[in-house]
Amino acid sequence: MHELGLTMEIVEIAVERAQGRSVKKLRVEVGKLAAVVPDSLRFCFDLCAKGTVLEGAELVLDWVPGRARCGSCGADVFLKVPYGQCTCGHSDLTLLSGHELIVADMEVV
Ligand SMILES: [Zn+2]
């Protein structure tokens, strides 16, 4: 379970950004290829947020699709798993996005 480490990072960043204000809502962009389990993420978030300005904040997850570029025809391919095939038939794909876990937005009181 790597969610705990990731969550700790997110909480740390959010706490810094909040500058002592209470956070009501936190929007996090999660790459579909990051292999993050939403339930684990929420569980870890509640754990990490305890005692910080994030305690009780609503965690909103925004899923970012995996995107790759085909090495053969140059087309962008959207992926749900970290591998796949372009419509042209080639599987020579370079991943562009889909592994991120970033604090996108937050609402403070
Ligand atoms: Zn292609």
Side-chain angles (χ1 to χ4, degrees), residues 69-75 77 85-90 93:
R69 181 146 300 151
C70 175
S72 176
C73 72
V77 185
Q85 204 176 36
C86 178
T87 45
C88 76
H90 282 263
L93 303 176

Side-chain angles (χ1 to χ4, degrees), residues 9 17 21 29 32 35 54 60 68 74 76 83 86 89 93 103:
E9 260 175 60
R17 269 203 220 170
R21 292 166 299 180
E29 282 184 8
K32 274 207 171 131
L54 287 161
V60 181
D76 277 2
Y83 51 87
C86 178
L93 303 176
V103 178

Side-chain angles (χ1 to χ4, degrees), residues 77-99:
V77 185
F78 288 92
L79 302 171
K80 282 193 183 118
V81 287
Y83 51 87
Q85 204 176 36
C86 178
T87 45
C88 76
H90 282 263
S91 51
D92 171 25
L93 303 176
T94 308
L95 288 175
L96 302 175
S97 68
H99 286 102

Side-chain angles (χ1 to χ4, degrees), residues 10 13-19 21-28 53-54 103-109:
I10 289 176
I13 291 166
V15 164
E16 208 179 287
R17 269 203 220 170
Q19 295 179 315
R21 292 166 299 180
S22 253
V23 178
K24 237 168 61 181
K25 202 191 244 182
L26 185 70
R27 204 161 60 79
V28 174
V53 291
L54 287 161
V103 178
D105 201 6
M106 51 194 250
E107 239 175 70
V108 292
V109 178

